[in-house]
Amino acid sequence: MFLKGIYVGKPAIFQLIVLLLLIMAGAVFSSLLAMGILHLAHVPYTDMGRYPDMMRVLQLLSAIGTFLFPALALAWLCSNNPREYLSFGNRKPYGSFASGLYGLTFLSVLLLSPTISLTGLLNKQMELPSFMAPVESWMRAQEEAAEKTTLMLLAGEGVTTLIFNLIVIAGAAGVTEEFLFRGALQRVIGKWTCNHHVIIWSAAIIFSAFHMQFFGFLPRMLLGAYFGYLLHWSRNIWIPVFAHFVNNACAVISLSNIRLKNSEFITGDISAENLLPYTIVSIATLYLFYCCTKHIKKRLSANELS
């Protein structure tokens, strides 16, 4: 078939360059498509904040073009079996085993959440040396811009808006980002080394850096690493996709509720008087998270042997 597997056996650096070119091509195409849609809808780009529904559509297009297309294209070009390359349906769980596995994955994400929030709080305290003040100012500007975009995407009330946000911010992001960073990128890095820890953490670092939110770098890196381990254990891309969806969906639901989004335990801006008890809770849930992941690995190992 056309171009299928033409880069099979090529070195890792070659496949990485191909992936970067595909990401740039997808980003450019989705940007041009977005500009065309805005032009047809007579919506000025500088006035996007007034049109959250349009922003959601453009966010979806951007995710597909920048993340999903490069992953699928790379798998097509660099493998004779693209489904296997992306771990698409490998060792697919069925029946009660599937429900138990997804249930444990759901629980593990919730248990990890306090530790992620605490790590995020520590990350926000980061200060660069005085001679790097311009860099820190740029980093904070990137953080504020990302936060502003998120708030605009979440703008609106009602069930319909919540569903659209879950589709775009949780569903689409979970699928497209996992296909790129876990499915494709981990496969490319795996051509350099057989050490799965190096593969997973390298992809997690790149995943976090790609978001350009440096004051949330550590928690996003930890999440990326956990998603990577889920793929390594399960050999099924849908398991980390589900975990990514759960994490983002919890954030969308929390930030869409007026009472919840003002809670320091939701925003992660823990006050000084609650810091110690929250740390104790985080340690306890982290231990439960460890126990939960042991059950996940045990179930997967038992299913593989059966």
Side-chain angles (χ1 to χ4, degrees), residues 235-303:
R235 299 291 187 270
N236 187 325
I237 192 66
W238 296 112
I239 304 302
V241 164
F242 176 72
H244 198 141
F245 170 80
V246 171
N247 178 76
N248 287 18
C250 288
V252 169
I253 293 171
S254 298
L255 293 175
S256 298
N257 184 282
I258 297 177
R259 287 180 296 180
L260 289 177
K261 71 180 182 180
N262 292 324
S263 169
E264 62 185 83
F265 301 106
I266 298 299
T267 62
D269 296 320
I270 311 300
S271 59
E273 59 268 25
N274 289 325
L275 185 57
L276 180 58
Y278 192 81
T279 301
I280 295 173
V281 170
S282 298
I283 293 172
T285 55
L286 185 61
Y287 173 74
L288 294 175
F289 165 79
Y290 170 75
C291 295
C292 190
T293 56
K294 285 186 64 177
H295 280 290
I296 291 174
K297 289 188 288 184
K298 184 177 180 181
R299 290 180 71 92
L300 287 168
S301 298
N303 183 65

Side-chain angles (χ1 to χ4, degrees), residues 16-248:
L16 181 60
I17 292 173
V18 171
L19 180 59
L20 291 174
L21 291 174
L22 289 170
I23 290 173
M24 288 189 288
V28 170
F29 178 76
S30 59
S31 296
L32 292 174
L33 185 59
M35 291 172 61
I37 293 174
L38 290 175
H39 177 72
L40 292 174
H42 303 290
V43 176
Y45 181 79
T46 55
D47 206 20
M48 283 293 295
R50 294 175 53 195
Y51 303 92
D53 288 337
M54 181 65 71
M55 284 193 65
R56 295 182 189 103
V57 172
L58 299 186
Q59 184 77 9
L60 179 60
L61 291 175
S62 177
I64 293 173
T66 307
F67 301 124
L68 185 60
F69 162 74
L72 296 177
L74 185 77
W76 184 266
L77 296 172
C78 296
S79 174
N80 291 316
N81 188 346
R83 289 174 63 90
E84 188 276 334
Y85 187 92
L86 292 172
S87 302
F88 189 90
N90 294 357
R91 286 165 41 169
K92 190 173 182 180
Y94 294 97
S96 59
F97 170 75
S99 59
L101 178 59
Y102 284 109
L104 285 171
T105 303
F106 177 84
L107 179 61
S108 70
V109 173
L110 296 185
L111 291 172
L112 185 60
S113 181
T115 299
I116 293 297
S117 296
L118 189 61
T119 307
L121 181 63
L122 294 173
N123 199 163
K124 290 178 182 179
Q125 311 307 313
M126 179 181 66
E127 291 186 7
L128 298 180
S130 57
F131 70 90
M132 297 184 68
V135 176
E136 183 173 342
S137 297
W138 174 78
M139 290 166 62
R140 293 193 182 278
Q142 292 294 120
E143 196 78 18
E144 291 172 3
E147 184 177 351
K148 182 179 179 181
T149 300
T150 301
L151 291 175
M152 286 191 293
L153 285 171
L154 292 172
E157 298 179 355
V159 176
T160 302
T161 297
L162 178 61
I163 292 174
F164 283 158
N165 283 332
L166 287 173
I167 292 173
V168 174
I169 301 175
V175 172
T176 59
E177 292 182 15
E178 289 310 301
F179 268 61
L180 177 64
F181 293 103
R182 252 58 65 181
L185 184 60
Q186 285 193 183
R187 181 71 71 172
V188 173
I189 298 174
K191 292 181 68 66
W192 263 308
T193 175
C194 295
N195 189 317
H196 68 275
H197 298 295
V198 173
I199 295 170
I200 290 168
W201 284 97
S202 297
I205 290 170
I206 296 172
F207 164 71
S208 188
F210 198 91
H211 284 77
M212 301 292 286
Q213 292 176 257
F214 303 99
F215 293 92
F217 181 87
L218 291 179
R220 189 172 289 106
M221 180 188 68
L222 293 178
L223 279 171
Y226 180 50
F227 300 154
Y229 280 108
L230 284 173
L231 178 60
H232 174 72
W233 297 331
S234 67
R235 299 291 187 270
N236 187 325
I237 192 66
W238 296 112
I239 304 302
V241 164
F242 176 72
H244 198 141
F245 170 80
V246 171
N247 178 76
N248 287 18

